[in-house]
Amino acid sequence: MSFTQLCSRVFCQAINDYHVKDNVDTAISNPYDRDEIENRLYLKCWIDTVRWHFEDIIRDPHINPVEALSLTRRIDRSSQDRTDIVEQIDSYFMHKYSNVKALPDAAVNTESPAWAIDRLSILELKIYHMHEQTMRTDVSAEHIEKCKARLAVLLEQKRDLSSAIDTLLDDIAAGRKHMKVYRQMKMYNDPSTNPVFYKK
C-alpha cells in the first residue's frame, strides 16, 4: 500500500465516521493510537470535515448575526488547528527521512509533503460530497449529469495528486529531493504581531 492509499483509506474513514451523526458538534473518536501516523491523518481529515460543514452553515443568508460571529471564531480556530496538524505530519516526515543524505543536485519541492497531503484530504471531501449530489432524487437529470462530470474530474485529480505525492516521497527517500519545512507564521493569531491586540 502506498502512503497516499493509506491516506485515502484513513480520510474516507474519518469522513464516513463524521457523517454518521453529521453534526459539527460531534466529538471526535479517533480510533488510532496517538503515536501512529494514522492518528494524525484521521485528525487532519476530521478537522477538514467539520470545517467543510462550518462553511456551509455560515453561508446561510438567514443566520443569526450572533451565531455567525460565534461560528466565525470557530472557523478561525479550526484554521489554526489545521495548520498545526499539517506541521505535525511534516515533523513525522522530517523524522522519517532524517538519515537520508540529499544528493548534491537535490532540489527543494514547492511544498512540503504534508501540505500536499492537506490538499488530498480536501479532495476526498469534495469527492464524497460530489458523489452525494449524484445520488439525489430531488433534482433534475441535468444536475445529476453535471455532478457526475465534475466527480469524474475530481477522481482524475485524486489520481494525479496521489501519484505526485508518492513520487515526491520516493524522491525524498532517495535523496533526489531535499525536504525543507517553513513553519507557518500566522501573524493575526499572535497578540505580539496583530496590531488589534498590541495597540491596546
Side-chain angles (χ1 to χ4, degrees), residues 14 52 58 76 87-88 95 117 134 165 168 184 186 188:
W52 179 285
I58 199 70
D76 183 55
E87 292 187 347
Q88 289 176 30
H95 176 74
I117 289 164
T134 69
I165 293 170
L168 172 60
Q184 297 297 302
K186 293 195 172 183
Y188 51 75

Side-chain angles (χ1 to χ4, degrees), residues 16 53 57 83 88 97 107 137-138 156 177 183 191:
N16 288 327
H53 293 279
I57 296 167
T83 298
Q88 289 176 30
Y97 299 118
T137 58
D138 61 334
E156 180 180 2
K177 285 282 179 75
R183 300 298 178 186

Side-chain angles (χ1 to χ4, degrees), residues 3-14:
F3 191 82
T4 55
Q5 288 174 327
L6 172 66
C7 289
S8 290
R9 179 174 63 78
V10 175
F11 292 160
C12 288
Q13 182 181 6

Side-chain angles (χ1 to χ4, degrees), residues 83-200:
T83 298
D84 292 345
I85 197 68
V86 168
E87 292 187 347
Q88 289 176 30
I89 294 170
D90 263 337
S91 293
Y92 162 83
F93 287 118
M94 290 290 286
H95 176 74
K96 180 176 181 178
Y97 299 118
S98 60
N99 293 325
V100 174
K101 183 173 177 58
L103 299 174
D105 59 348
V108 177
N109 203 54
T110 58
E111 65 183 349
S112 69
W115 280 110
I117 289 164
D118 169 75
R119 292 194 289 126
L120 186 60
S121 173
I122 303 300
L123 200 49
E124 286 289 4
L125 276 163
K126 290 180 180 179
I127 289 168
Y128 178 93
H129 288 98
M130 193 62 71
H131 178 262
E132 202 173 46
Q133 288 297 311
T134 69
M135 304 301 290
R136 288 176 61 186
T137 58
D138 61 334
V139 292
S140 66
E142 180 184 9
H143 176 88
I144 297 295
E145 289 307 309
K146 182 167 68 174
C147 291
K148 284 182 177 180
R150 289 177 174 176
L151 179 59
V153 172
L154 290 170
L155 290 170
E156 180 180 2
Q157 188 178 357
K158 176 185 171 181
R159 288 191 295 272
D160 290 344
L161 179 58
S162 296
S163 176
I165 293 170
D166 286 331
T167 298
L168 172 60
L169 295 175
D170 287 344
D171 285 344
I172 293 171
R176 292 185 295 268
K177 285 282 179 75
H178 176 59
M179 184 176 170
K180 291 181 75 173
V181 173
Y182 294 95
R183 300 298 178 186
Q184 297 297 302
M185 301 178 192
K186 293 195 172 183
M187 298 175 69
Y188 51 75
N189 280 339
D190 185 344
S192 69
T193 55
N194 183 334
V196 171
F197 291 106
Y198 69 71
K199 284 186 177 179
K200 289 182 179 180

Side-chain angles (χ1 to χ4, degrees), residues 61-86:
H62 306 294
I63 191 171
N64 180 288
V66 175
E67 292 176 6
L69 177 59
S70 174
L71 186 54
T72 300
R73 304 279 195 214
R74 292 181 72 179
I75 290 171
D76 183 55
R77 286 195 300 273
S78 174
S79 178
Q80 186 61 57
D81 290 343
R82 171 196 176 203
T83 298
D84 292 345
I85 197 68
V86 168

